[in-house]
Amino acid sequence: MNEKLNFNLERPIVMVGLMGAGKTSIGRMLARKLDIPFVDSDKEIESAAGCSVVDIFSLYGEDEFRRVEERVLERLLTSPPYLKVISTGEGAFINPAVRKLVLEKALSIWLKADLDLLVKRTNFRDTRPQLLNADSKKILSTLIDERYKIYAQANVTVETADENPNRTLSKVMATLRKLSSA
């Protein structure tokens, strides 16, 4: 029981959603607020592979990246400390095996953002393999069409907007409080 916040957390929290939705920044803020560890699954994948996500995609392809991602997330969800916040890459929850594991072992929070916000947040960054040398708006629009129905399977959805990250964090905290009182 986190006395300061007056609600129980019994499982890890996994942040899901498209690139640019705020999974890492809001996840990090949430972990700090809850005084529990934060883990960025992409950083864990890079550590396990010994190279960047962009390099894994270019050297080994997306299929291999997804296999490594699945193994890393399984380890994160089944090893101590059990209570933590995990931000995932945008494709992790799309993988049926990962999604099943997350839904069984964690509380999943979908940070849902609209297309314009995602484009604004992902432009000018070279850490998004799928958006390198491409029309980011077109790609993100296609990903929204393909993936939002899958992200909707997350335990909860928090709508994000072009707002101060503290406002989004407040929405997440309010959602957690509602869940704990239900």
Side-chain angles (χ1 to χ4, degrees):
M1 168 79 105
N2 188 320
E3 297 295 330
K4 184 172 85 171
L5 297 172
N6 198 26
F7 61 83
N8 281 318
L9 287 174
E10 298 172 353
R11 302 184 291 168
I13 296 171
V14 175
M15 311 300 286
V16 302
L18 278 180
M19 59 190 99
K23 300 178 304 290
T24 299
S25 59
I26 301 303
R28 188 175 281 117
M29 293 169 68
L30 178 61
R32 196 169 24 248
K33 182 88 167 170
L34 298 174
D35 195 28
I36 60 177
F38 170 77
V39 181
D40 179 330
S41 67
D42 281 348
K43 297 295 181 208
E44 292 291 313
I45 291 165
E46 289 176 343
S47 177
C51 60
S52 73
V53 168
V54 172
D55 287 344
I56 297 168
F57 265 77
S58 67
L59 294 171
Y60 305 106
E62 184 174 357
D63 289 344
E64 181 59 24
F65 173 81
R66 297 296 171 205
R67 281 190 284 280
V68 173
E69 180 178 57
E70 184 177 334
R71 288 191 305 268
V72 166
L73 283 165
E74 181 173 10
R75 177 180 51 82
L76 291 173
L77 289 169
T78 59
S79 62
Y82 297 107
L83 192 55
K84 58 190 150 215
V85 176
I86 303 168
S87 79
T88 62
E90 55 87 20
F93 199 70
I94 303 308
N95 176 330
V98 169
R99 186 170 55 253
K100 181 178 187 285
L101 186 66
V102 168
L103 292 172
E104 288 174 358
K105 303 274 184 195
L107 170 67
S108 52
I109 299 175
W110 173 26
L111 293 180
K112 184 179 181 183
D114 69 30
L115 177 60
D116 290 334
L117 180 59
L118 295 172
V119 170
K120 177 181 176 182
R121 289 181 176 171
T122 58
N123 275 347
F124 313 111
R125 301 202 52 197
D126 63 357
T127 57
R128 317 278 186 186
Q130 294 172 296
L131 301 182
L132 292 176
N133 307 313
D135 179 347
S136 62
K137 187 167 190 166
K138 182 178 179 181
I139 290 170
L140 288 165
S141 178
T142 300
L143 290 172
I144 285 172
D145 292 343
E146 293 171 352
R147 295 181 174 186
Y148 272 23
K149 61 186 169 281
I150 298 171
Y151 293 142
Q153 295 175 42
N155 298 109
V156 295
T157 300
V158 175
E159 298 271 347
T160 65
D162 194 4
E163 61 195 1
N164 183 303
N166 287 315
R167 175 72 182 116
T168 304
L169 177 62
S170 293
K171 291 178 191 177
V172 171
M173 292 298 296
T175 299
L176 292 174
R177 285 188 181 98
K178 281 183 201 171
L179 289 174
S180 69
S181 66

